[in-house]
């Protein structure tokens, strides 16, 4: 790989741009294709489009021999609504699995740097904060505030976005009430099955750390099994 | 993208020779997915992985030739048969690894 290609790859990652690196396995060079530069004229247009869609890398046969198409999609992000104890553990677990965390909570007593050092913490209402960060299809969101005004606002934004995972803390009973409120606010019930509530894989979690683990496990499952990556 | 490529950039900036090994194909059980990276410098220091540890030593050894010649190589590792480089994968999988010089 040419050193300029490596630089361009790292730059694309920084800017959250999707690229595919096409490398000839016979030693015949490489080509870095940005998603926004892909046209139907490209000899491997369909295969490249599939790489961008699924995030999966693969070998394709070309006239010049085998070519490896390596997909580099933006790192997944997790918007944590509620600067709570579960959120503190989630920040660490998310990082370990390559997911970039952000913490959003308008309650300034919760959203302090002392409680959340080393992570971007945004002491704003979710609607405003998520509007700035942008919920793209490589983003996910989990609502932990347990305050309806805060969580509902975040869920409204999430349902209106392409984000790949939505989780909301609370029992089945409180989740049912939450869906009623969202319906009253005009959210389309068709999208309600996108919300994982009660949140997390059922591993019998009790402590905040165990609940955080179950959430991150469910997020990885969604990313890998349902989305491809 | 793995942090390994960031490390590769750091090593290049430090003036080290760097070989990049990428998993390009897997069959059956394989602990590192397609797209996994291992980087090796001229002294045999390495970061990242292309397997659960069973073929790393062989890839590191082959990277010396790649760094010396600048010519990439495509290596294949399998299980319990006569594999290209005589190293097998205990997990029962089969992988192909592309090794190239960075720079």
């Amino acid at each position: 790989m040419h050193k300029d290609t490596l630089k361009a790859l790292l730059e694309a990652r920084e800017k959250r741009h999707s690229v595919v690196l096409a490398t000839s396995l016979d030693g015949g060079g490489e080509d870095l294709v940005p998603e926004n530069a892909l046209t139907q004229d490209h000899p491997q247009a369909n295969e490249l489009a599939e790489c961008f869609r699924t995030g999966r890398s693969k070998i394709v046969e070309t006239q010049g021999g085998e070519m490896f198409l390596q997909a580099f999609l933006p790192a997944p992000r997790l918007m944590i609504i509620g600067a709570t104890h579960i959120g503190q553990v989630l920040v660490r677990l998310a990082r370990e699995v390559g997911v970039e965390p952000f913490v959003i909570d308008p309650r300034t007593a919760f959203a302090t740097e002392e409680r959340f050092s080393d992570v971007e913490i945004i002491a704003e209402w979710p609607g405003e904060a998520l509007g700035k960060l942008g919920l793209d299809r490589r983003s996910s969101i989990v609502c932990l505030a347990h305050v309806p005004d805060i969580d509902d606002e975040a869920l409204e934004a999430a349902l209106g976005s392409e984000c790949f995972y939505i989780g909301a803390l609370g029992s089945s009973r409180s989740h049912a009430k939450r869906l009623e409120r969202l319906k009253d606010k005009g959210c389309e019930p068709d999208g309600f099955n996108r919300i994982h509530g009660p949140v997390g894989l059922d591993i019998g979690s009790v402590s905040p750390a165990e609940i955080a683990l179950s959430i991150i496990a469910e997020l990885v499952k969604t990313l890998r099994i349902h989305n491809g990556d | 993208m793995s942090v390994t490529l960031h490390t590769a950039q750091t090593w290049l900036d430090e003036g080290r020779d760097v070989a990049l090994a990428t998993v390009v194909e897997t069959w059956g059980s394989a602990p590192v997915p397609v797209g996994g990276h291992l980087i090796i410098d001229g002294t045999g220091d390495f970061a990242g992985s292309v397997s659960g540890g069973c073929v790393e030593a062989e890839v590191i050894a082959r990277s010396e030739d790649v760094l010396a010649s600048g010519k990439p190589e495509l290596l294949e590792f399998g299980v319990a048969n006569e594999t290209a480089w005589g190293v097998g994968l205990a997990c029962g999988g089969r992988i192909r690894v592309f090794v190239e010089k960075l720079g």
Side-chain angles (χ1 to χ4, degrees), chain A residues 1-3 6-7 9-10 13 23-27 30 57-59 66 68 70 72-73, chain B residues 1 5-6 8-9 12 20 22-25 34-35 37 72 74 96 98 100-103:
Chain A
M1 188 194 297
H2 196 275
K3 62 182 192 311
L6 178 61
K7 275 215 163 67
L9 264 179
L10 296 175
R13 180 190 169 87
T23 304
S24 160
L25 295 184
D26 302 329
E30 66 203 13
S57 305
K58 63 175 198 175
I59 291 176
E66 283 186 313
F68 180 53
Q70 188 166 8
F72 293 92
L73 303 192
Chain B
M1 191 195 305
L5 290 181
H6 282 277
Q9 182 65 59
L12 284 179
L20 170 69
T22 306
V23 178
V24 295
E25 201 165 21
V34 169
H37 292 130
L74 188 57
R96 284 210 291 167
F98 187 66
E100 61 188 316
K101 185 176 178 172
L102 273 177

Side-chain angles (χ1 to χ4, degrees), chain A residues 62-82:
Chain A
T62 70
Q63 285 182 339
E66 283 186 313
M67 182 179 280
F68 180 53
L69 302 181
Q70 188 166 8
F72 293 92
L73 303 192
R77 303 195 292 185
L78 175 60
M79 312 303 175
I80 299 167
I81 310 300

Side-chain angles (χ1 to χ4, degrees), chain A residues 15-127:
Chain A
K15 292 181 175 167
R16 293 187 69 76
H17 292 168
S18 296
V19 293
V20 170
L21 175 62
T23 304
S24 160
L25 295 184
D26 302 329
E30 66 203 13
D31 183 22
L32 191 66
V33 186
E35 186 170 25
N36 57 13
L38 179 63
T39 63
Q40 275 306 315
D41 309 338
H42 197 287
Q44 278 81 43
N46 289 340
E47 284 107 334
L48 284 164
E50 192 191 323
C51 281
F52 283 120
R53 189 169 48 78
T54 65
R56 288 201 186 94
S57 305
K58 63 175 198 175
I59 291 176
V60 294
E61 294 292 337
T62 70
Q63 285 182 339
E66 283 186 313
M67 182 179 280
F68 180 53
L69 302 181
Q70 188 166 8
F72 293 92
L73 303 192
R77 303 195 292 185
L78 175 60
M79 312 303 175
I80 299 167
I81 310 300
T84 61
H85 190 179
I86 297 173
Q88 287 174 316
V89 185
L90 259 183
V91 166
R92 299 202 297 273
L93 294 183
R95 287 229 174 87
E96 284 297 326
V97 298
V99 175
E100 190 185 359
F102 296 83
V103 177
I104 299 167
D105 197 323
R107 300 169 295 179
T108 47
F110 282 70
T112 63
E113 283 202 14
E114 193 184 347
R115 288 165 50 75
F116 287 86
S117 57
D118 195 30
V119 63
E120 186 163 349
I121 175 140
I122 304 154
E124 290 174 4
W125 280 86

